[in-house]
Amino acid sequence: QNYPLYIRSVPTENELKFHYTVHTSLDVVDEKISALGKALVDQRELYLGLLYPTEDYKVYGYVTNSKVKFVMVVDSSNTALRDNEIRSMFRKLHNSYTDIMCNPFYNPGDRIHSRAFDNMVNSMMMQVC
Amino acid sequence: MDPAAAAAAEEEGREKPPVIYTMENKPIVTCAGDQNLFTSLYPTLSQQLPREPMEWRRSYGRAPKMIHLESNFVQFKEELLPKEGNKALLTFPFLHIYWTECCDTEVYKTTVKDDITKWQNVLKAHNSADWLIVVVESDAKKKNKTNILPRTSIVDKIRNDFCNKQSDRCVVLSDPLKDSSRSQESWNAFLTKLRTLLLMSFTKNLGKFEDDMRTLREKRTEPGWSFCEYFMVQEELAFVFEMLQQFEDALVQYDELDALFSQYVVNFGAGDGANWLTFFCQPVRSWNGLILRKPIDMEKRELIQNQEATLLDLRSYLFSRQCTLLIFLQRPWEVSQRALELLHNCVQELKLLEVSVPPGALDCWVFLSCLEVLQRIEGCCDRAQIDANVSHTVGLWSYATEKLKSLGYLCGLVSEKGPNSEDLNRTVDLLAGLGAERPETANASQSPYKKLKEALSSVEAFEKHYLDLSHATIEMYTNIGRIRSAKLVGKDLAEFYMRKKGPQKAEVYLQGALKTYLAEGWALLVTHTRKQLAECQKHLGQIENYLQTSSLLAGDNHLSEDERKSFCQEILDFANQQAENEGQKVTLPMHSFAQLKTLHFDPPNAVVHVGGKLCIELTLLSQMPIPVRLDQIAIHVHFSIEKNSYRKTAEWLTKHKTSNGVISFPNEVAGFPLSKNNLPALELYEMYERSPSDNSLNTAGIICKNVHMLLRRQESSSSLDIPSGLTLEDGAHVLKCNNLILEPGVNKITFSTQAKEPGTYTLRQLCTSVGKVQFVLLHIYPIVQYDVYSQEPQLKVEPMTDSLLAGIPQKVRFTVTTGHYSMKNGDTLQLSNADAMPILYHPESKAVIYSNTREKISESLLRIQSSEKITSISLPVAPAYHVIEFELEVMYLPSATESAVEKENTINKEVHRKKREKQKQDNCMATVDQKVTIDCPWSIYSTIIALTFCLPFNAKHSLLSAGKRKYVQVCVQNLSELCFQLSNNSLKNFAECTDLQLVPLNLESQQVIYSKQSIFFVWELKWTKEHPLSLQCLFSVSFRPATSEEQSFTLKPFTYEFQVENFFTLYHVKTEIFPPLGAEYCKTGSLCSLEVSITRLADLSEVDRDEALTESDGYCTTKLMYEVVDNSSNWAVCGKSSGVISMPVAARATHKVHMEVMPLFAGYLPFPDVRLFKYLPHHSAHSMQLDADSWIENDNLSVDKNVDDQADSSSIRSRGSLHSAASGEHKGLPMPRLQSFSSGQVFNCSTGMQILVIPSKDDHVLEVNIT
């Protein structure tokens, strides 16, 4: 359920910390899903918003209807990223993920090794940084 | 705000600070006029004013609000009126009231009017339009003064004088101190008026203030604009809202300030700096945390007012105000949430503004602030509320813990030795920055300030505080289900313990965290935690666990090559230690060390015979970064014997197990959730249960042998990394390989073994030993087995073709399966010779030796020696478990010579029997079994083998007649698939009559008979003297396969023996049909006459001597029955279609029968059949017992004269005897018998004749149906 399908971080030197952050953020994702899930399963907003802030990063979450979780960690100092940008980035991620799932050679649940997805994530990160 | 005004405001602030700056603040209303009157009314007024709410309509589309108004009534002084440009709102008098009790016109004119005018002038001078004149009336006073004017006149006068357009600015309060309904009414009216006016004043003045404020804000881009000034202005507004209990609005003011400041910081970060902001960038010198206990932190406010505040001061002040308002609004959880944001934000902003901060100062500030917020929240909520909202506060707890930890590291409180002098200096500096404890908390036993100071004071105190915090945080996280966060804090704690040299405490936390990461498959986290765990285990001296973790790490590709090597080296170092304590081997699971990828059997079907050699090649993927020298690698094998199972016989095994010999093992993806792979593999076995009585299958099924492992509850997965039962199975069967080096990556290791006992061997465990360390793969899955079988020697003889044909040479394959017997030189197969089946020997025939797996090994010439009785075949030398194969030609001779009469007879019998059976199914060949007895070298018993031969031909004969001439036809049918060439056909009669001649009518001497086809041979019979009674014929024809060129040996001809009897023609039958008299043709529907003439051709002969023959007066007669049958329904026979005639037995005697027939169709119609039978009386002892009627009827037919006579006489006689017969035995009416003539005895010359029938003219009826 909560194993990583795809993790990518730029820059890479602090990767471990990001992993810890993302992993911990799953707690909040779970909390939010269970809080929301009771109310409206169908019309649920996929975007979970800011999961929690840390001193250096902001962690945003997004959950698809099939409970695939996207977590984005953004540098706190990056003030150019407002909620709307984050939202659209998640939507882009979601679309790209859907494309991967449509690939008949992709086994749902496997780690993602898709060049298209890589490129998309890269371009998104390039745009932001 | 100009400095002068600021100073004035300051002065004011100093004058009565407690009044203004507490929540006791109320809007100021000034009172002028009669002070005594006001004082008497004040209690009622202040009590009544807030009693009823009032709707406040707001500008800018803000929602209207109901508010309860309160006021602070002060005596009117001119100084109270704000000077031009003074922005202070709190001190702003919102309403000015003039009180008067005057009811005397004179008094009014003289004093009151002047007073009011003066008052009004002062107000006007200050541009204040919010005033009210209250005229209090009382009946008491009215009574005293008799010369009073009507009371309204004063009010009217006042209205006239002052309220030129605003008559509502003057109210009358009647008898305020009396308890009457009138007074009540007047009070109400007054209060409503007062409230309305107050609100109007608010709206007006606040609106004006807001406008001014906005104008000020718009100037923010101008140089010289000061945030602090603006701050003070907007805060004024906030204060007023707060004063009006409009906390929401007050909060909005602070939030706006907050946002404005944040935006400036962001813009500053983007390079767009405002001058005033540089002021906030001064180095941080004090970090004493938030102060939330006081509603307003005056110290900080002053700093802001004096433009001396640092960023932290501003933020702290702003937040303290927000906090106060939020708590008023009963939203403590928002406080905690905002606090966390604030703290993060401040840290960020300081970074962004590049403010110089001493190391640790921020940590102190954050720590103190967190605790302050938490204490503030605790102060306003009860325990249950706090517990229910842990999720809001836990972030602060965790943040505080984190900060305390980093402080501890910074001040050297975490190291084993305690802080050094540098650390101590730093601590002192930090404590200095805290300043003195604030007076509010100075006397409390606990405060954030005290806590921090204590924590930094000593190693022990730090540990206590840190542990307290950590445990509290972990507990909270756990309680609200944030397990992952709890684990992360736990990991920090573990790190702390490791620093403090307390690995046993650290281990629990590390294991817990590792478990979570493993379960969720976070490879990088797993690696990192394992690394920590490894260190911990090393300190703890848990050798086995340490080695296991090391092996996992050594094979972890998330680590650098060097790290992996060092962990690998750790294992090798341990493994190569001099074993002081012998026998203590450390057993570790294999999967971290190496993975079993494939297994390859040679022979590929994994089946070997006893004594055979089996090779198993393992492909091991070593996870280690460096080559590892293995002392031994061993496969533990489980041996089982499955008897009574056909699947385990040599025959089945060698034939069926045809895999390619490569078994692949499922890939364990490293880092993938291990929970998936952690379950032991299913061990499934087939199970058969047979009934004890007849060994038939009762049940078949599959058994899982490790159910107990699989159905175990999952929670016991604490053994996730340390499988408890790492026990090696002890088995006698172990395959070993010694001293090899396992390179990183793919390794191929070959085991070879000599098969011993027959049975099934299952590979169960794989064990590699490196010094003292063993790596064990507990279960090899999928199940890998090899089979060892033993086999008895066997001889098999089978035809090469589908069936063996008799009469021609046929190839037979001999297969000798040597089994455990090895063929020695001189071993022979001894075949007993049978004359009916000689063995044909080709000197160049060869024997081929195959291995059991059907690989051709060698070829050798076959030596065959034949003696009279025995053919012995020398077998080539062959090792055990091989197959020798050779072919021999044999020929079965269907009709043998005299020497084999006996045998032949039996065979013939068999043939006949089979023939009878098979004749129904036409195409089947007759078969003959020929038995051969063979003596084999490995057995004292003879093997009897039956070969079945099929006769390729089938012959039939038939007799053909043409009048008196006779022909014999023989039909030979080829039943086989082959073509044969037939030659030298002959037919011989070996009956005694000698004058009979058989004249062949066959032209060709050689003919080819194709598969499944027939050939006919015809001979004419000719004789001279008398009719022979019977013929004894023998047909023979030579044959050979049409394809074979040379005739290397003589083949016996095919013979067929048959007998022909009674073949002479006795009667000649002729049928004629005549059209009716006068007609040319027969017509449908009209009667025609049918004439049958039966003519005897021969005189009395032997064949006539039977019961039907009667002799009288030298004439012999016999009785015949005729029958006209028309099977095709072309004719309708009118009258009797059959009858019995008595026929004189003499040549040329003729009997004619007439009858009427009617053609039913037009066209050429074949004649109806006429059949002739011998008519035998029922019993020879009795006289004829004929059907009288038919008899009589027959008489009516017209016959030839002499026949008539005979018939007459016989009929008379029979009639005469009829009496006796009828009277004598009339019981059963015994039926006479009919006997058909044999085929040649009656010749019907009209067979196949046809007659033209034309349709009758009048039956042209056309039926037309119209529907």
Side-chain angles (χ1 to χ4, degrees):
Chain A
Q1 288 274 358
N2 284 318
Y3 51 89
L5 292 176
Y6 185 89
I7 301 183
R8 191 169 177 85
S9 54
V10 172
T12 40
E13 62 258 28
N14 241 343
E15 208 176 356
L16 185 66
K17 190 179 171 186
F18 284 121
H19 281 230
Y20 275 119
T21 308
V22 172
H23 182 251
T24 319
S25 72
L26 290 177
D27 271 341
V28 188
V29 173
D30 282 351
E31 215 171 85
K32 293 211 174 193
I33 292 173
S34 60
L36 281 168
K38 284 167 204 155
L40 287 165
V41 180
D42 305 332
Q43 299 150 13
R44 195 165 57 80
E45 165 77 277
L46 301 180
Y47 177 55
L48 296 178
L50 185 66
L51 296 179
Y52 68 87
T54 66
E55 214 172 277
D56 309 315
Y57 305 103
K58 285 179 184 149
V59 187
Y60 296 92
Y62 184 94
V63 176
T64 70
N65 283 321
S66 51
K67 298 279 185 292
V68 177
K69 293 152 192 158
F70 297 105
V71 174
M72 215 170 343
V73 184
V74 178
D75 204 316
S76 288
S77 58
N78 195 338
T79 45
L81 285 174
R82 298 292 168 85
D83 226 35
N84 268 338
E85 280 88 57
I86 301 284
R87 215 180 270 261
S88 72
M89 280 164 83
F90 272 127
R91 211 157 294 139
K92 231 161 125 188
L93 267 179
H94 192 174
N95 285 342
S96 196
Y97 177 72
T98 314
D99 288 346
I100 291 171
M101 291 299 282
C102 292
N103 178 359
F105 299 103
Y106 175 73
N107 243 345
D110 283 0
R111 287 203 78 133
I112 294 168
H113 300 286
S114 153
R115 201 175 301 159
F117 196 74
D118 265 353
N119 291 341
M120 196 276 305
V121 173
N122 270 348
S123 73
M124 223 158 65
M125 285 174 158
M126 292 299 281
Q127 214 172 22
V128 166
C129 297
Chain B
M1 196 184 271
D2 60 337
E10 206 178 305
E11 218 169 315
E12 265 174 26
R14 234 173 263 155
E15 248 172 35
K16 24 185 166 176
V19 180
I20 297 173
Y21 298 121
T22 60
M23 278 324 299
E24 304 312 311
N25 275 354
K26 288 165 189 167
I28 291 171
V29 176
T30 63
C31 301
D34 192 340
Q35 285 302 316
N36 294 330
L37 172 66
F38 173 71
T39 316
S40 67
L41 292 174
Y42 175 72
T44 328
L45 185 61
S46 60
Q47 190 197 351
Q48 292 288 327
L49 185 61
R51 189 158 287 172
E52 286 192 28
M54 196 66 195
E55 195 187 55
W56 186 20
R57 294 175 202 281
R58 314 276 306 276
S59 54
Y60 299 109
R62 282 175 280 192
K65 284 198 172 155
M66 300 300 284
I67 58 173
H68 296 263
L69 287 166
E70 275 183 282
S71 286
N72 194 10
F73 296 93
V74 296
Q75 196 178 353
F76 179 77
K77 286 174 197 164
E78 200 178 342
E79 305 93 82
L80 282 177
L81 290 173
K83 293 171 192 89
E84 192 60 43
N86 190 347
K87 299 283 189 320
L89 256 189
L90 275 183
T91 54
F92 186 83
F94 283 95
L95 192 62
H96 309 277
I97 307 177
Y98 189 88
W99 301 85
T100 177
E101 216 180 3
C102 175
C103 50
D104 190 338
T105 324
E106 288 308 310
V107 176
Y108 172 71
K109 274 184 182 164
T110 53
T111 56
V112 177
K113 191 179 175 185
D114 290 347
D115 201 24
I116 295 179
T117 312
K118 217 180 357 175
W119 175 69
Q120 284 269 310
N121 286 339
V122 172
L123 290 182
K124 261 178 205 146
H126 287 92
N127 242 343
S128 178
D130 304 302
W131 49 267
L132 178 70
I133 298 168
V134 184
V135 180
V136 179
E137 289 176 350
S138 64
D139 293 340
K141 267 198 170 172
K142 236 190 297 182
K143 278 168 193 165
N144 292 344
K145 314 256 174 173
T146 48
N147 57 343
I148 51 164
L149 287 164
R151 63 168 184 274
T152 50
S153 63
I154 291 286
V155 179
D156 287 340
K157 268 188 187 331
I158 292 174
R159 280 192 184 144
N160 263 336
D161 292 343
F162 302 102
C163 326
N164 34 2
K165 273 164 199 164
Q166 316 160 293
S167 57
D168 58 336
R169 291 271 174 195
C170 181
V171 276
V172 175
L173 190 60
S174 315
D175 286 332
L177 297 173
K178 277 195 184 160
D179 193 14
S180 69
S181 63
R182 187 160 164 267
S183 124
Q184 195 64 43
E185 217 173 274
S186 116
W187 263 115
N188 281 346
F190 165 68
L191 285 171
T192 311
K193 174 67 72 181
L194 183 58
R195 285 179 196 130
T196 313
L197 286 175
L198 260 177
L199 284 181
M200 271 171 64
S201 168
F202 288 160
T203 313
K204 197 176 86 192
N205 288 301
L206 289 186
K208 189 166 165 281
F209 187 85
E210 280 178 14
D211 288 342
D212 290 347
M213 188 181 85
R214 245 170 246 123
T215 317
L216 185 58
R217 191 162 64 199
E218 290 318 310
K219 286 182 188 157
R220 66 182 180 274
T221 45
E222 289 174 14
W225 188 83
S226 161
F227 178 78
C228 290
E229 276 172 38
Y230 177 73
F231 184 93
M232 296 323 276
V233 173
Q234 191 158 8
E235 192 181 28
E236 203 72 24
L237 189 60
F239 282 148
V240 173
F241 282 122
E242 190 181 344
M243 181 175 75
L244 296 175
Q245 313 266 309
Q246 299 307 303
F247 303 118
E248 200 75 57
D249 291 296
L251 187 60
V252 168
Q253 306 312 316
Y254 284 110
D255 288 348
E256 277 179 21
L257 284 170
D258 196 344
L260 186 64
F261 187 72
S262 301
Q263 192 56 50
Y264 266 106
V265 175
V266 168
N267 290 349
F268 185 82
D272 177 20
N275 279 342
W276 55 269
L277 202 60
T278 47
F279 181 74
F280 287 101
C281 298
Q282 57 193 312
V284 174
R285 288 197 199 84
S286 157
W287 39 87
N288 50 4
L290 293 174
I291 300 152
L292 303 176
R293 272 157 233 262
K294 292 187 286 186
I296 296 170
D297 184 353
M298 283 315 296
E299 269 175 66
K300 293 248 160 62
R301 187 164 194 273
E302 262 167 57
L303 285 174
I304 295 167
Q305 206 160 16
N306 299 339
Q307 309 209 358
E308 287 164 0
T310 61
L311 184 119
L312 281 186
D313 291 332
L314 179 73
R315 283 289 182 197
S316 300
Y317 178 71
L318 203 50
F319 184 74
S320 74
R321 295 296 301 140
Q322 288 169 326
C323 168
T324 308
L325 291 171
L326 283 170
I327 284 173
F328 280 135
L329 287 166
Q330 307 281 308
R331 278 145 61 179
W333 313 124
E334 207 176 322
V335 175
S336 64
Q337 193 192 325
R338 278 168 175 246
L340 204 55
E341 272 170 42
L342 166 88
L343 299 178
H344 291 316
N345 194 28
C346 284
V347 174
Q348 279 304 315
E349 283 180 349
L350 288 174
K351 225 182 268 176
L352 194 65
L353 297 176
E354 291 162 348
V355 175
S356 87
V357 183
L362 265 186
D363 295 331
C364 286
W365 185 76
V366 170
F367 177 77
L368 288 173
S369 301
C370 283
L371 292 191
E372 178 73 16
V373 172
L374 289 171
Q375 285 198 352
R376 183 77 188 89
I377 291 170
E378 273 166 39
C380 68
C381 298
D382 57 20
R383 194 74 237 159
Q385 260 180 305
I386 291 169
D387 286 345
N389 287 284
V390 167
S391 61
H392 295 106
T393 53
V394 70
L396 287 170
W397 283 102
S398 149
Y399 200 21
T401 314
E402 200 181 304
K403 286 301 162 190
L404 186 60
K405 184 187 81 175
S406 62
L407 278 176
Y409 281 90
L410 188 73
C411 299
L413 295 166
V414 183
S415 64
E416 214 179 348
K417 293 166 196 152
N420 54 27
S421 62
E422 198 183 325
D423 294 334
L424 286 173
N425 280 338
R426 202 175 290 138
T427 311
V428 169
D429 288 346
L430 281 178
L431 289 176
L434 293 179
E437 181 155 26
R438 294 200 196 83
E440 309 93 81
T441 55
N443 298 323
S445 64
Q446 257 201 338
S447 70
Y449 180 87
K450 288 203 180 79
K451 209 173 236 181
L452 181 60
K453 217 161 183 180
E454 195 185 323
L456 295 183
S457 66
S458 74
V459 173
E460 291 75 25
F462 173 79
E463 183 173 347
K464 177 186 166 292
H465 282 292
Y466 179 60
L467 292 186
D468 280 352
L469 266 179
S470 293
H471 287 308
T473 310
I474 290 174
E475 201 191 320
M476 278 184 236
Y477 270 137
T478 315
N479 283 345
I480 59 168
R482 294 198 189 176
I483 305 298
R484 299 180 189 90
S485 311
K487 298 287 181 215
L488 193 60
V489 179
K491 265 200 64 207
D492 284 340
L493 201 52
E495 256 166 61
F496 170 75
Y497 279 128
M498 285 306 290
R499 282 290 199 80
K500 301 286 283 180
K501 299 285 174 230
Q504 68 281 357
K505 283 181 187 159
E507 199 209 348
V508 187
Y509 293 106
L510 290 174
Q511 289 283 14
L514 182 61
K515 206 169 90 187
T516 311
Y517 300 145
L518 275 176
E520 297 187 345
W522 288 72
L524 218 55
L525 308 188
V526 166
T527 308
H528 180 241
T529 312
R530 269 203 189 123
K531 234 162 76 182
Q532 293 175 316
L533 188 62
E535 200 192 334
C536 173
Q537 286 165 338
K538 191 178 186 181
H539 284 298
L540 282 176
Q542 297 176 340
I543 290 164
E544 203 164 311
N545 291 343
Y546 174 62
L547 289 178
Q548 196 196 323
T549 312
S550 297
S551 77
L552 285 166
L553 285 168
D556 193 334
N557 51 18
H558 290 289
L559 284 178
S560 70
E561 193 74 359
D562 289 340
E563 280 175 299
R564 290 176 58 184
K565 276 181 188 163
S566 72
F567 280 112
C568 187
Q569 202 54 50
E570 283 284 302
I571 302 169
L572 296 182
D573 287 349
F574 174 82
N576 297 331
Q577 274 172 18
Q578 281 305 312
E580 296 116 37
N581 44 348
E582 282 292 329
Q584 266 301 33
K585 283 205 163 187
V586 176
T587 306
L588 299 174
M590 165 94 76
H591 67 91
S592 58
F593 176 72
Q595 280 176 5
L596 183 57
K597 287 287 178 191
T598 55
L599 192 146
H600 176 81
F601 278 112
D602 184 35
N605 59 357
V607 173
V608 278
H609 52 77
V610 170
K613 194 180 157 194
L614 179 84
C615 285
I616 302 170
E617 190 185 70
L618 293 184
T619 310
L620 270 183
L621 181 72
S622 171
Q623 310 272 41
M624 294 296 115
I626 51 172
V628 176
R629 181 168 194 86
L630 299 182
D631 294 342
Q632 187 184 69
I633 180 161
I635 304 176
H636 293 254
V637 177
H638 175 79
F639 170 64
S640 66
I641 306 168
E642 282 176 66
K643 276 176 181 158
N644 300 331
S645 165
Y646 173 67
R647 289 178 146 254
K648 294 298 168 194
T649 58
E651 211 177 334
W652 194 86
L653 285 171
T654 45
K655 272 184 195 155
H656 285 83
K657 230 178 154 180
T658 49
S659 62
N660 58 358
V662 178
I663 294 134
S664 297
F665 295 90
N667 246 350
E668 276 184 37
V669 180
F672 219 72
L674 280 176
S675 52
K676 285 188 185 167
N677 313 335
N678 201 37
L679 278 180
L682 280 173
E683 283 186 36
L684 295 176
Y685 292 89
E686 295 160 69
M687 189 254 327
Y688 302 100
E689 196 175 290
R690 291 175 186 281
S691 99
S693 53
D694 57 349
N695 203 32
S696 65
L697 193 62
N698 271 352
T699 53
I702 293 173
I703 303 180
C704 176
K705 284 196 177 171
N706 56 352
V707 184
H708 57 286
M709 305 273 280
L710 290 162
L711 297 186
R712 208 162 45 176
R713 278 189 60 192
Q714 273 298 287
E715 49 86 25
S716 64
S717 53
S718 58
S719 58
L720 205 104
D721 254 14
I722 321 139
S724 46
L726 263 184
T727 44
L728 272 175
E729 281 175 16
D730 286 331
H733 301 275
V734 178
L735 305 178
K736 283 178 191 170
C737 239
N738 288 326
N739 284 330
L740 38 92
I741 287 172
L742 207 60
E743 298 286 343
V746 176
N747 291 269
K748 286 191 189 289
I749 299 153
T750 310
F751 295 85
S752 59
T753 178
Q754 187 104 29
K756 283 173 197 127
E757 260 183 277
T760 300
Y761 293 80
T762 310
L763 310 188
R764 294 291 278 268
Q765 293 184 334
L766 188 64
C767 172
T768 54
S769 317
V770 185
K772 282 165 72 182
V773 183
Q774 280 185 319
F775 293 98
V776 177
L777 181 64
L778 269 187
H779 299 279
I780 297 180
Y781 186 83
I783 292 167
V784 183
Q785 293 180 325
Y786 66 90
D787 292 289
V788 175
Y789 66 92
S790 75
Q791 196 180 17
E792 292 299 316
Q794 233 180 357
L795 169 71
K796 220 194 285 178
V797 181
E798 31 182 23
M800 295 282 277
T801 48
D802 287 347
S803 59
L804 293 170
L805 289 177
I808 52 169
Q810 295 286 290
K811 281 188 172 173
V812 172
R813 180 191 285 132
F814 283 68
T815 310
V816 176
T817 311
T818 55
H820 55 71
Y821 183 87
S822 47
M823 288 295 157
K824 295 178 285 291
N825 205 0
D827 279 339
T828 55
L829 285 181
Q830 309 230 318
L831 278 68
S832 61
N833 288 347
D835 288 323
M837 193 191 73
I839 287 160
L840 309 171
Y841 168 61
H842 291 284
E844 69 270 23
S845 62
K846 281 175 178 172
V848 183
I849 301 170
Y850 295 98
S851 74
N852 250 9
T853 47
R854 302 305 292 179
E855 283 167 83
K856 193 169 169 178
I857 303 276
S858 65
E859 218 176 42
S860 66
L861 270 177
L862 200 63
R863 280 172 297 115
I864 298 178
Q865 289 172 320
S866 252
S867 69
E868 197 174 326
K869 295 215 162 152
I870 280 170
T871 306
S872 76
I873 304 164
S874 314
L875 291 170
V877 177
Y881 294 103
H882 277 69
V883 177
I884 306 169
E885 221 175 61
F886 57 88
E887 288 163 18
L888 284 183
E889 275 195 338
V890 294
M891 185 162 75
Y892 177 69
L893 308 171
S895 46
T897 48
E898 299 88 281
S899 60
V901 165
E902 204 178 314
K903 192 151 202 170
E904 192 199 4
N905 281 352
T906 61
I907 290 164
N908 276 351
K909 265 180 213 160
E910 242 174 321
V911 170
H912 284 305
R913 184 174 50 78
K914 286 196 172 161
K915 246 185 189 169
R916 236 177 292 131
E917 280 171 14
K918 298 279 170 71
Q919 254 160 7
K920 290 164 200 162
Q921 314 133 313
D922 214 16
N923 287 330
C924 282
M925 291 183 264
T927 58
V928 188
D929 284 339
Q930 177 68 43
K931 292 196 172 85
V932 185
T933 310
I934 304 171
D935 289 322
C936 303
W938 56 82
S939 169
I940 53 163
Y941 301 105
S942 305
T943 311
I944 297 172
I945 281 162
L947 293 173
T948 303
F949 292 90
C950 299
L951 303 175
F953 298 113
N954 183 21
K956 277 185 273 185
H957 71 275
S958 55
L959 185 76
L960 308 172
S961 311
K964 281 184 172 181
R965 299 170 79 170
K966 294 290 167 187
Y967 304 89
V968 172
Q969 186 195 45
V970 175
C971 168
V972 175
Q973 192 185 5
N974 182 2
L975 297 169
S976 72
E977 300 290 336
L978 293 174
C979 299
F980 291 97
Q981 187 137 37
L982 300 183
S983 56
N984 300 330
N985 57 66
S986 69
L987 186 69
K988 279 177 193 149
N989 174 25
F990 49 90
E992 56 266 42
C993 59
T994 47
D995 65 332
L996 192 85
Q997 263 189 303
L998 288 164
V999 182
L1001 300 176
N1002 311 310
L1003 294 174
E1004 292 178 56
S1005 62
Q1006 286 215 336
Q1007 274 175 300
V1008 174
I1009 180 164
Y1010 294 100
S1011 167
K1012 307 286 182 199
Q1013 290 188 346
S1014 303
I1015 282 187
F1016 296 88
F1017 301 94
V1018 180
W1019 283 267
E1020 186 175 0
L1021 289 176
K1022 284 192 175 169
W1023 59 89
T1024 45
K1025 290 174 191 168
E1026 58 180 274
H1027 307 157
L1029 264 179
S1030 69
L1031 279 176
Q1032 197 76 33
C1033 295
L1034 178 69
F1035 170 77
S1036 86
V1037 65
S1038 305
F1039 67 97
R1040 59 186 179 86
T1043 46
S1044 72
E1045 294 298 313
E1046 87 282 34
Q1047 191 78 23
S1048 57
F1049 41 82
T1050 52
L1051 294 167
K1052 291 270 178 185
F1054 173 71
T1055 57
Y1056 174 59
E1057 216 178 65
F1058 61 94
Q1059 205 170 7
V1060 185
E1061 285 176 325
N1062 297 335
F1063 53 88
F1064 285 99
T1065 311
L1066 294 177
Y1067 300 99
H1068 182 268
V1069 178
K1070 190 180 177 189
T1071 314
E1072 275 176 298
I1073 293 176
F1074 303 103
L1077 277 175
E1080 204 178 339
Y1081 297 105
C1082 295
K1083 277 185 179 169
T1084 53
S1086 61
L1087 287 174
C1088 308
S1089 66
L1090 173 84
E1091 191 185 84
V1092 178
S1093 58
I1094 302 162
T1095 311
R1096 170 92 191 181
L1097 293 181
D1099 287 324
L1100 182 69
S1101 64
E1102 282 301 303
V1103 286
D1104 292 319
R1105 305 224 171 264
D1106 53 22
E1107 295 151 25
L1109 190 75
T1110 50
E1111 206 172 338
S1112 63
D1113 312 329
Y1115 291 108
C1116 293
T1117 55
T1118 185
K1119 290 215 166 58
L1120 298 175
M1121 181 179 158
Y1122 69 89
E1123 192 182 12
V1124 180
V1125 182
D1126 177 38
N1127 285 329
S1128 48
S1129 318
N1130 289 327
W1131 302 92
V1133 181
C1134 304
K1136 293 213 49 141
S1137 60
S1138 59
V1140 176
I1141 53 168
S1142 131
M1143 192 78 192
V1145 184
R1148 286 175 305 280
T1150 306
H1151 198 109
K1152 288 195 176 175
V1153 180
H1154 291 275
M1155 56 187 81
E1156 305 263 273
V1157 292
M1158 188 167 70
L1160 299 176
F1161 298 99
Y1164 284 99
L1165 298 185
F1167 278 25
D1169 285 345
V1170 177
R1171 294 182 198 159
L1172 213 54
F1173 301 97
K1174 252 182 208 173
Y1175 192 85
L1176 302 179
H1178 171 249
H1179 200 275
S1180 57
H1182 299 292
S1183 52
M1184 347 285 149
Q1185 291 150 357
L1186 291 173
D1187 186 3
D1189 292 335
S1190 66
W1191 190 237
I1192 292 159
E1193 266 192 23
N1194 282 337
D1195 275 359
N1196 292 344
L1197 301 166
S1198 69
V1199 287
D1200 277 356
K1201 201 178 183 178
N1202 58 346
V1203 177
D1204 256 354
D1205 290 346
Q1206 287 173 357
D1208 278 351
S1209 61
S1210 66
S1211 72
I1212 290 160
R1213 210 176 55 96
S1214 69
R1215 262 177 205 170
S1217 64
L1218 199 69
H1219 283 277
S1220 59
S1223 60
E1225 29 187 306
H1226 207 266
K1227 301 164 208 164
L1229 246 176
M1231 290 300 289
R1233 287 182 296 130
L1234 292 177
Q1235 191 186 28
S1236 58
F1237 288 100
S1238 57
S1239 61
Q1241 285 179 316
V1242 175
F1243 178 71
N1244 192 337
C1245 70
S1246 309
T1247 314
M1249 277 179 73
Q1250 289 179 330
I1251 185 166
L1252 179 66
V1253 176
I1254 57 172
S1256 66
K1257 276 170 186 155
D1258 27 318
D1259 36 280
H1260 291 268
V1261 179
L1262 186 66
E1263 275 187 36
V1264 180
N1265 287 332
I1266 301 164
T1267 52

